Amino acid sequence: RERVHHEDTITFTVVRHPFERLVSAYRHKTFEKNEGLGKLTFPEFLQQIVIKESSSCSSTNLSCMNLHWKPFLNNCSPCSLNYTVIVKVETFNEDRMGIHKLVGLPYKDTGHYHDLTKILNTTKSTEDWTKSLFENVSMEVKQQLQDIYKYDFEMFDYDPFLY
């Protein structure tokens, strides 16, 4: 713990729009990993898994939620750890270059590790998928999600009404 707070230590974390995280997790779990979501549609996944997990958590830190869709604020404790850099997925390559500069390492672009466009044979980005999948989500469910991810939207400056 002392090293984390040492002035020479660089700490960083990576965040993304909460709704894009949900789409990414849904697609990863259903198409790539086939991990027990069965034939749930995206709206069903949101209601039966995400919202249900959130409402069934007995603690306010939502520790019972799956790591892939638990609010980021509850995953990384940005309030208790003073990160040097908070990287956004949307600006990942530029942010990664900046981190390399901070630590004095040469930067080498190695591509994207988790490229679902290749896995799923599609050219649609996560942003495109998010727009498409959230078209079928009711305003009531969107409001519930906005409540669950309220602090992620605020802390990381994401628009809760983007999708």
Side-chain angles (χ1 to χ4, degrees):
R1 187 159 173 92
E2 288 177 23
R3 289 192 55 82
V4 171
H5 295 290
H6 190 274
E7 64 185 49
D8 292 337
T9 301
I10 304 295
T11 56
F12 69 93
T13 189
V14 182
V15 298
R16 81 185 319 171
H17 191 287
F19 289 1
E20 290 182 10
R21 277 187 66 216
L22 292 170
V23 167
S24 179
Y26 173 76
R27 292 180 66 224
H28 179 72
K29 296 283 186 189
T30 55
F31 299 119
E32 185 179 347
K33 292 279 187 179
N34 198 13
E35 291 184 1
L37 295 182
K39 297 184 188 286
L40 289 180
T41 65
F42 184 66
E44 290 169 340
F45 161 72
L46 295 175
Q47 291 175 300
Q48 296 174 27
I49 307 289
V50 177
I51 293 170
K52 187 175 179 181
E53 277 185 18
S54 169
S55 62
S56 69
C57 286
S58 59
S59 66
T60 56
N61 72 359
L62 303 176
S63 60
C64 70
M65 287 183 75
N66 183 296
L67 177 68
H68 292 92
W69 48 82
K70 182 190 317 184
F72 193 78
L73 181 66
N74 302 104
N75 272 339
C76 71
S77 304
C79 294
S80 63
L81 184 61
N82 188 17
Y83 289 103
T84 310
V85 179
I86 296 179
V87 174
K88 287 190 168 186
V89 167
E90 299 81 7
T91 56
F92 184 74
N93 284 332
E94 300 88 40
D95 295 341
R96 192 169 57 164
M97 280 191 285
I99 291 171
H100 277 80
K101 284 182 184 176
L102 278 174
V103 297
L105 292 173
Y107 174 77
K108 179 181 177 188
D109 188 3
T110 56
H112 194 277
Y113 166 73
H114 194 64
D115 192 352
L116 284 177
T117 58
K118 290 180 183 172
I119 294 167
L120 299 175
N121 195 25
T122 181
T123 57
K124 287 173 70 171
S125 67
T126 299
E127 183 180 322
D128 294 335
W129 277 101
T130 306
K131 287 177 184 171
S132 175
L133 288 173
F134 267 89
E135 286 177 357
N136 299 317
V137 175
S138 72
M139 287 306 295
E140 178 185 348
V141 169
K142 286 181 185 179
Q143 182 59 57
Q144 289 176 295
L145 294 171
Q146 289 166 351
D147 291 343
I148 293 168
Y149 296 97
K150 175 185 178 184
Y151 296 111
D152 284 3
F153 287 119
E154 289 178 16
M155 183 163 284
F156 306 115
D157 195 31
Y158 284 112
D159 180 359
F161 304 102
L162 183 62
Y163 298 106

